[in-house]
Amino acid sequence: QGILVEVHCQRQDPQIRVTAGISLPTMTIADQLKVASVDEVKAFYDGLSVEQQEKIQMALNTAPGSEAKLEFAHIAREWRMKYAENDLKGGAAELDRIFKEKYLPDIRKINGVVSVQRIVCGGCNDFKLVIKLSKDAWGDWEANKFAPEEAFLEDAKQVAGISNIETQAYTFEALDGSRPESEQEKESAAAGEQIQFLHVAREWRMKYAENKLMGGAVELDKLLRNSYLADIQKIAGLVSVQRTVCGGCNDFKITIKARKDKFGDWEANQFAPEEAFLEAAAKIAGITRVETQTYTFDVL
């Protein structure tokens, strides 16, 4: 027999309704849970998409007394460094050339790879590559020492003016309202004397106090989703809203990416709702080092 299961997480928010098989007549929540076996509920849950499972877990995590923890489905490896020249030239262009010509084709073949994204900031001279994988494929790549990481970073060291070479792993999720990376317009221009780009992003970043993916990270996520994400989704030219959380270094970042031709309009509006979100975030216990940054951000 099919069952109708309602999960209300001990709070007054709208219920999460999931249906399997043939719906039974309307019943109270208690009655519906009585007729559903643990195995039936688990079987239905296992049949949901990763995104649907994540939403249910997020709702359960807000129940009173729970050890709330962020859920995630993807992990990214970031290769970052500084180049010497200002603007989008010099070392940045040479790094882009090396990566596109020598490494990008093989990286796209990594099992579980979702996207390869490039960040370049001509003001602070950041060059970053973000390789995003599904969580279930991450362990295999990690066991392979994130190849071709070592070879690329060694090549990067040979470029004049390159410094501060670092790596980092973190959870990396596209939030509601984001266009899938596979559907985004890709920056595929041949490497030249200057970085070409199609999108610009605004990053809101801060540190939270607790280790792992708990505490302040959960509160920041709830704050964004409940009070600000709907307004962000209305930004003209919006392409994606991505959440970066590192449980080891306590980074929490929101990266809002827009088309290059629309970014100026959002900038003229002072990146609303940036000020309101950052002010509210700063009031959460343990939140420090609240900062912002603008940079080019493209899927390769």
Side-chain angles (χ1 to χ4, degrees):
Q1 290 291 325
I3 58 171
L4 175 64
V5 181
E6 293 184 351
V7 184
H8 75 325
C9 305
Q10 304 176 7
R11 60 187 184 129
Q12 299 303 313
D13 289 355
Q15 297 167 347
I16 298 173
R17 300 174 63 89
V18 291
T19 306
I22 302 171
S23 298
L24 295 175
T26 302
M27 305 166 65
T28 67
I29 294 171
D31 287 340
Q32 290 168 25
L33 290 175
K34 286 178 182 178
V35 301
S37 71
V38 172
D39 288 342
E40 287 173 323
V41 174
K42 183 179 185 303
F44 179 79
Y45 178 85
D46 289 343
L48 297 174
S49 68
V50 171
E51 289 78 11
Q52 290 169 327
Q53 290 179 356
E54 183 181 16
K55 287 180 180 180
I56 291 176
Q57 288 296 333
M58 287 172 54
L60 293 172
N61 283 342
T62 61
S66 66
E67 287 290 332
K69 186 175 181 179
L70 287 180
E71 296 296 323
F72 63 97
H74 303 91
I75 308 177
R77 184 71 167 176
E78 180 178 290
W79 303 340
R80 61 175 176 253
M81 55 210 70
K82 293 281 189 179
Y83 62 99
E85 303 80 6
N86 291 320
D87 299 322
L88 304 176
K89 303 176 180 180
E94 180 62 13
L95 290 167
D96 188 57
R97 184 192 67 76
I98 293 171
F99 182 73
K100 284 180 176 177
E101 295 179 359
K102 193 171 179 180
Y103 297 101
L104 181 57
D106 287 338
I107 289 174
R108 286 174 173 162
K109 297 175 185 177
I110 295 170
N111 179 47
V113 71
V114 175
S115 66
V116 182
Q117 302 185 59
R118 183 199 65 204
I119 294 169
V120 187
C121 176
C124 56
N125 297 7
D126 283 334
F127 184 95
K128 303 179 182 181
L129 294 163
V130 182
I131 303 167
K132 177 179 176 180
L133 272 70
S134 58
K135 181 170 65 173
D136 59 354
W138 175 260
D140 292 339
W141 190 37
E142 183 178 29
N144 198 30
K145 298 182 179 179
F146 305 113
E149 176 177 285
E150 184 177 353
F152 171 72
L153 296 183
E154 187 60 36
D155 279 349
K157 291 177 184 177
Q158 309 309 312
V159 177
I162 300 305
S163 61
N164 294 63
I165 296 177
E166 300 174 333
T167 62
Q168 184 180 4
Y170 45 67
T171 72
F172 195 38
E173 296 298 323
L175 304 184
D176 289 347
S178 300
R179 185 178 305 170
E181 286 100 323
S182 60
E183 299 177 11
Q184 293 180 26
E185 187 176 5
K186 294 179 174 58
E187 194 287 286
S188 56
E193 294 183 359
Q194 182 164 326
I195 294 288
Q196 302 299 310
F197 64 98
L198 304 171
H199 304 94
V200 185
R202 184 71 167 176
E203 180 179 286
W204 304 340
R205 62 174 176 253
M206 56 211 70
K207 294 280 190 179
Y208 62 99
E210 303 79 7
N211 291 320
K212 301 183 180 179
L213 305 177
M214 307 170 72
V218 173
E219 293 303 311
L220 288 166
D221 187 65
K222 287 164 53 180
L223 174 67
L224 181 83
R225 292 176 185 270
N226 294 341
S227 301
Y228 299 99
L229 185 56
D231 288 335
I232 292 170
Q233 291 166 350
K234 298 174 184 176
I235 295 170
L238 178 72
V239 175
S240 66
V241 184
Q242 300 188 86
R243 184 198 70 197
T244 300
V245 186
C246 176
C249 56
N250 296 8
D251 284 335
F252 185 97
K253 303 177 184 179
I254 297 297
T255 306
I256 303 168
K257 180 164 73 172
R259 296 201 320 263
K260 179 171 64 173
D261 62 335
K262 292 294 185 179
F263 190 81
D265 294 337
W266 186 36
E267 184 177 26
N269 196 31
Q270 298 182 322
F271 302 115
E274 175 177 287
E275 183 177 358
F277 171 72
L278 296 183
E279 183 176 345
K283 295 178 181 177
I284 294 174
I287 301 304
T288 59
R289 296 177 61 178
V290 178
E291 301 172 336
T292 62
Q293 185 179 1
T294 298
Y295 43 68
T296 71
F297 196 19
D298 282 289
V299 174
L300 301 182

